[in-house]
Amino acid sequence: IFLGNSFIGMYAKCGSLSEAREVFDSLPKHDIVSWSALIGGYSEHGPYQEALECLEEMQLQGFLPDTVAYVSALRACANGGFIEKGLELHDELVKKGNEGNPFLGNNLVGLYARCGSFSDAFKVIHMHSACDITAWNALITGLTEHAHFQQAIDCFKDIWRHGVSPDNITFACGLKACSGVGRVHEGFELHMHIISRGLEQDTLIGNTLVGMYSRNGLIPEALHTFDCLFNKDVVSWNALIAGYVEQDMVNEALQCLEQMQVEGILPDVATYVSMIKACSDIGLDDFGVRLHLQVSQIGLNKDLTIGNALINMYAKFGVLSQAQRVFDELPVHDPISWSALISGYGELGFVDGALVTYMKSQEESVSFD
RNA sequence: UAUGAUUUUUCUGGG
């Protein structure tokens, strides 16, 4: 059963929920961990509703969920936006005497922050004694993701006043808040502060700095920060490349792609997505095709984000047959894949293709926003 | 000393 649980956990973590379910169903006996691993998978990758159903189901079968199972289910609520259900679960947990568990308070703050209920998030963080730095990090992240950049920055500064010690994740969150429109000055100040604390070589913080400058089109600053990093990983390169692509500096991006491999770092999904985007942006069709070939050789043409980028690229080049082929080779589609293909047909005046594709999407009940 | 939980950097369409 331990071995079975590891398999469930492994499949659940990489999002192969049907496989996880299969292993689960094939086990003669389950324990709390089997259920929690499965719930954890559904909470992360969906369908989120399924996580909650599992929680019910395990209780029907006589298992008493522990805090791990509950916290996983709470995460499903956060990801799926089921805020009411999340509160209900939280109440159950508190009733069972779990107030002292920091996972709980942290998770609740995360739930509120992700759903945009910031006054509630603040309330919990101020009242719940068991919140730690993780809760603050979640709050800053939530504010940033809802584009409340100044509030996120203020929150970041508040941490010191509350006597909580920031960790490297906190600094990354602060920097991300400063990456929002028009806040780079604060980001620069924070950069100086980070240097004064000797934290600029931290991989997470260093990469976040490169990303902040890069996203804001401050290429010289991004490049300088990048050059100063002792240990450049694939994320560092990706952050720089994304900046170049954004500025249409495709030659520089290309040089990065070569140089990173010279230095022994393999491009990953994010690298290829940026490069494919670069090709579609400036109409570099021959290199785009070469990239398509490359990703196919390593099986990444089945990756959703890469596939979507390729569909978009071929649609822009007017090669709908190839766009369709990439689409067909994808094991799963999301609304972005569908709309990239549909608008590709539409742009070129292939009304039939657009309509047929739209009809198919409706047969699969895809919803567009 | 190896089965499960909360926060974090780079990433996809159209506008």
Side-chain angles (χ1 to χ4, degrees):
Chain A
I1 189 164
F2 275 29
L3 188 64
N5 287 348
S6 324
F7 275 113
I8 299 173
M10 184 187 76
Y11 283 126
K13 275 201 177 139
C14 39
S16 313
L17 270 301
S18 45
E19 278 87 353
R21 188 83 207 198
E22 240 172 70
V23 176
F24 182 91
D25 290 336
S26 72
L27 287 182
K29 268 179 171 292
H30 303 127
D31 63 6
I32 297 195
V33 175
S34 332
W35 282 103
S36 301
L38 194 59
I39 294 175
Y42 285 125
S43 309
E44 194 58 42
H45 304 280
Y48 307 120
Q49 192 61 44
E50 199 69 30
L52 301 175
E53 279 162 23
C54 284
L55 190 72
E56 299 278 326
E57 180 66 21
M58 73 184 285
Q59 284 166 291
L60 287 179
Q61 298 196 10
F63 290 102
L64 209 55
D66 60 2
T67 49
V68 176
Y70 270 110
V71 170
S72 290
L74 271 174
R75 201 171 155 65
C77 297
N79 285 332
F82 315 138
I83 192 155
E84 294 295 327
K85 183 69 187 169
L87 292 182
E88 204 180 291
L89 288 178
H90 183 258
D91 275 348
E92 277 181 46
L93 268 169
V94 171
K95 275 191 202 122
K96 291 182 180 171
N98 284 296
E99 281 135 14
N101 187 341
F103 273 106
L104 253 193
N106 294 343
N107 209 327
L108 190 59
V109 172
L111 171 74
Y112 280 130
R114 205 173 291 203
C115 301
S117 313
F118 298 110
S119 53
D120 294 311
F122 278 113
K123 238 185 263 168
V124 175
I125 217 170
H126 288 124
M127 290 171 53
H128 203 298
S129 50
C131 284
D132 59 23
I133 186 65
T134 302
W136 286 96
N137 294 343
L139 185 52
I140 301 171
T141 301
L143 286 166
T144 303
E145 262 162 22
H146 286 82
H148 303 304
F149 302 115
Q150 193 54 55
Q151 287 183 61
I153 294 169
D154 294 342
C155 179
F156 173 78
K157 291 178 177 162
D158 259 5
I159 289 178
W160 276 264
R161 295 201 292 113
H162 284 83
V164 184
S165 310
D167 59 9
N168 59 337
I169 297 181
T170 315
F171 283 104
C173 295
L175 286 170
K176 274 219 96 172
C178 297
S179 308
V181 226
R183 313 282 150 162
V184 204
H185 274 293
E186 310 227 38
F188 189 70
E189 277 174 34
L190 184 48
H191 188 173
M192 294 303 112
H193 178 79
I194 284 167
I195 290 176
S196 75
R197 294 173 71 120
L199 293 172
E200 76 276 14
Q201 289 297 339
D202 178 273
T203 308
L204 175 64
I205 294 176
N207 288 343
T208 312
L209 279 165
V210 176
M212 176 183 77
Y213 289 127
S214 183
R215 238 197 315 278
N216 281 283
L218 302 172
I219 298 295
E221 286 81 357
L223 194 55
H224 179 251
T225 313
F226 176 86
D227 284 336
C228 289
L229 291 178
F230 298 146
N231 298 309
K232 303 171 179 58
D233 63 8
V234 67
V235 174
S236 329
W237 285 98
N238 288 345
L240 189 62
I241 290 175
Y244 280 137
V245 173
E246 186 69 39
Q247 302 299 313
D248 287 334
M249 299 166 72
V250 179
N251 284 328
E252 287 80 354
L254 276 169
Q255 282 168 21
C256 284
L257 181 66
E258 284 180 17
Q259 189 57 33
M260 68 190 285
Q261 294 176 79
V262 169
E263 296 185 17
I265 292 170
L266 283 182
D268 69 0
V269 170
T271 323
Y272 284 116
V273 167
S274 286
M275 293 310 304
I276 293 167
K277 196 162 120 73
C279 295
S280 21
D281 284 350
I282 68 156
L284 203 58
D285 50 355
D286 48 344
F287 190 68
V289 172
R290 248 167 61 200
L291 281 173
H292 184 187
L293 221 71
Q294 261 184 53
V295 295
S296 301
Q297 279 165 0
I298 48 182
L300 282 181
N301 57 326
K302 294 192 185 339
D303 178 276
L304 187 59
T305 53
I306 289 197
N308 288 348
L310 284 171
I311 295 170
N312 183 48
M313 179 186 81
Y314 282 122
K316 273 200 184 147
F317 294 164
V319 195
L320 268 302
S321 54
Q322 280 293 65
Q324 182 71 58
R325 209 185 119 197
V326 174
F327 183 93
D328 293 336
E329 282 170 358
L330 282 178
V332 290
H333 304 113
D334 68 359
I336 296 177
S337 338
W338 286 101
S339 57
L341 190 60
I342 294 171
S343 66
Y345 279 120
E347 286 291 320
L348 290 175
F350 294 127
V351 182
D352 290 350
L355 274 179
V356 169
T357 311
Y358 178 75
M359 305 281 260
K360 280 190 202 153
S361 75
Q362 293 314 293
E363 279 167 30
E364 298 190 17
S365 44
V366 180
S367 63
F368 301 98
D369 48 20

